[in-house]
Amino acid sequence: MGKIIFGDQILERSDVHIDLEDRGYQFGDGVYEVIRVYSGKLFTMKEHIERLFQSAQKIKLDISMSPEKIQELTEELVKENRVDFGSIYMQITRGAAPRTHMFPKPESNTKAVFTAYTNEVPRPVSLFEKGVAAITTEDIRWLRCDIKSLNLLPNVLAKQEATDYDCFEAILHRNGIVTEGSSSNAYIVKNGEVITHPADRLILNGITRQVLVELCKANGIPFVEKEFDLRDLKDADEVFISSTTSEVMPVIKLDVETVGDGTPGKITRKLQALFEARINQDTKVEI
Ligand SMILES: Cc1ncc(COP(=O)(O)O)c(C=O)c1O
């Protein structure tokens, strides 16, 4: 529970009411971000806020608050709610207006609605060590998956399908080409190379993915952005997924088949260690 951000204010959650005709509620007309909190500090905050602005711009939504103001409010909320290990969810919608598909007219003075709240979320360390199972399923999303849009119905259906099979994630494919996970980016490791779908309109350019690109470059691990298919996925030496909440998560089972020897692979473990070092470096508590 705790406090939330509503517009440019921090308020008690119970004091905030969202209009029934908010376009986020009715059309999913908005964009969002999730930022991780480690030891009370926001990790890769600037990158997430920058992506929020990019997503908003791509759907022609005027945030009408500066990135600096959002950063200030976010840091304040994490402090107020005393979040130690957790996340902050933020979203912005095109505001409340009588329900018609087209954007509200400028003269209606409809304002974008910005909200954010925090959650306590422990790092899933035992899963990092054991790895997780995943299914593969068809990617039935639209063609602008680079936008972190509130419209997540295909992702929700894919994740539920994975859950029904007792799996952690659904890895999506378009006509056999692997794009990403339902809420993560997907990678294979083959002959020492990390391979992932190019950051085009068919995937979300994950912030965790961007950190991994940097870490691979800095540590001499070949990182290749190219298409790969379901056969490559099944024949991979290692498979892993990445996201803000799952960090670098080994996939050890795919559609009931074992990946590699059924344990997290060497390069995946190396990337986990490098990622953790990066978290520690960026969220060090100064004494
Ligand atoms: C569809 C999709 N792809 C990739 C990601 C990973 O992005 P990030 O690393 O920025 O969390 C997410 C995160 O929620 C996602 O929903």
Side-chain angles (χ1 to χ4, degrees):
M1 271 308 226
K3 297 199 171 172
I4 71 159
I5 303 172
F6 183 63
D8 60 0
Q9 287 181 294
I10 295 184
L11 301 171
E12 287 300 335
R13 192 167 175 157
S14 52
D15 290 340
V16 172
H17 299 280
I18 301 293
D19 196 302
L20 197 63
E21 287 187 304
D22 188 288
R23 293 178 61 92
Y25 183 58
Q26 301 212 323
F27 296 109
D29 187 359
V31 292
Y32 78 105
E33 275 300 326
V34 180
I35 313 178
R36 201 72 161 98
V37 180
Y38 298 109
S39 311
K41 293 205 174 170
L42 286 135
F43 181 64
T44 53
M45 171 168 47
K46 282 208 164 65
E47 290 83 348
H48 281 280
I49 293 178
E50 198 178 301
R51 189 175 62 186
L52 182 74
F53 275 79
Q54 285 164 3
S55 293
Q57 192 229 337
K58 287 172 185 173
I59 66 160
K60 304 184 172 75
L61 190 159
D62 178 13
I63 293 187
S64 60
M65 232 190 323
S66 69
E68 293 75 24
K69 182 70 187 169
I70 292 181
Q71 180 169 335
E72 182 193 314
L73 285 164
T74 304
E75 283 173 335
E76 185 61 32
L77 185 73
V78 166
K79 229 189 260 168
E80 288 248 4
N81 286 347
R82 295 201 174 88
V83 185
D84 192 16
F85 285 85
S87 64
I88 178 156
Y89 174 88
M90 57 176 72
Q91 72 168 43
I92 182 143
T93 75
R94 211 180 300 275
R99 188 185 179 282
T100 52
H101 287 57
M102 61 280 218
F103 296 173
K105 292 212 162 65
E107 55 272 25
S108 73
N109 245 336
T110 304
K111 293 267 178 305
V113 175
F114 181 82
T115 48
Y117 60 84
T118 61
N119 272 323
E120 286 284 343
V121 191
R123 295 180 66 214
V125 279
S126 77
L127 294 182
F128 292 158
E129 279 158 29
K130 283 194 305 215
V132 296
I135 58 159
T136 55
T137 194
E138 201 186 340
D139 191 342
I140 58 166
R141 299 175 301 165
W142 68 335
L143 298 173
R144 292 307 306 269
C145 299
D146 55 315
I147 301 172
K148 206 162 165 61
S149 143
L150 294 179
N151 285 281
L152 289 174
L153 201 44
N155 309 60
V156 167
L157 292 175
K159 186 72 96 186
Q160 186 54 43
E161 193 183 341
T163 307
D164 290 343
Y165 283 102
D166 262 339
C167 287
F168 183 84
E169 180 58 304
I171 295 182
L172 311 175
H173 67 90
R174 271 185 208 269
N175 300 320
I177 301 295
V178 175
T179 48
E180 61 180 338
S182 73
S183 62
S184 61
N185 290 114
Y187 311 74
I188 57 170
V189 179
K190 191 71 187 172
N191 302 326
E193 280 185 341
V194 177
I195 303 167
T196 197
H197 195 282
D200 55 18
R201 291 180 170 195
L202 298 185
I203 70 158
L204 182 74
N205 189 2
I207 303 299
T208 319
R209 181 189 188 280
Q210 293 170 32
V211 173
L212 291 178
V213 173
E214 263 176 47
L215 291 174
C216 283
K217 269 198 191 136
N219 291 278
I221 301 169
F223 190 96
V224 185
E225 296 182 69
K226 67 170 188 194
E227 287 186 352
F228 61 95
D229 63 18
L230 287 171
R231 181 86 338 257
D232 300 320
L233 182 69
K234 298 274 157 89
D235 290 345
D237 300 329
E238 303 177 31
V239 176
F240 67 92
I241 53 173
S242 79
S243 77
T244 294
T245 43
S246 295
E247 299 181 13
V248 179
M249 185 64 83
V251 175
I252 53 158
K253 231 178 174 192
L254 258 177
D255 296 332
V256 198
E257 283 174 46
T258 301
V259 178
D261 67 359
T263 61
K266 219 170 90 195
I267 292 190
T268 307
R269 278 189 278 119
K270 170 96 180 151
L271 288 174
Q272 286 180 313
L274 291 169
F275 193 76
E276 181 154 343
R278 171 73 194 273
I279 294 169
N280 292 337
Q281 176 197 314
D282 287 8
T283 59
K284 215 168 23 204
V285 184
E286 280 116 39
I287 316 169

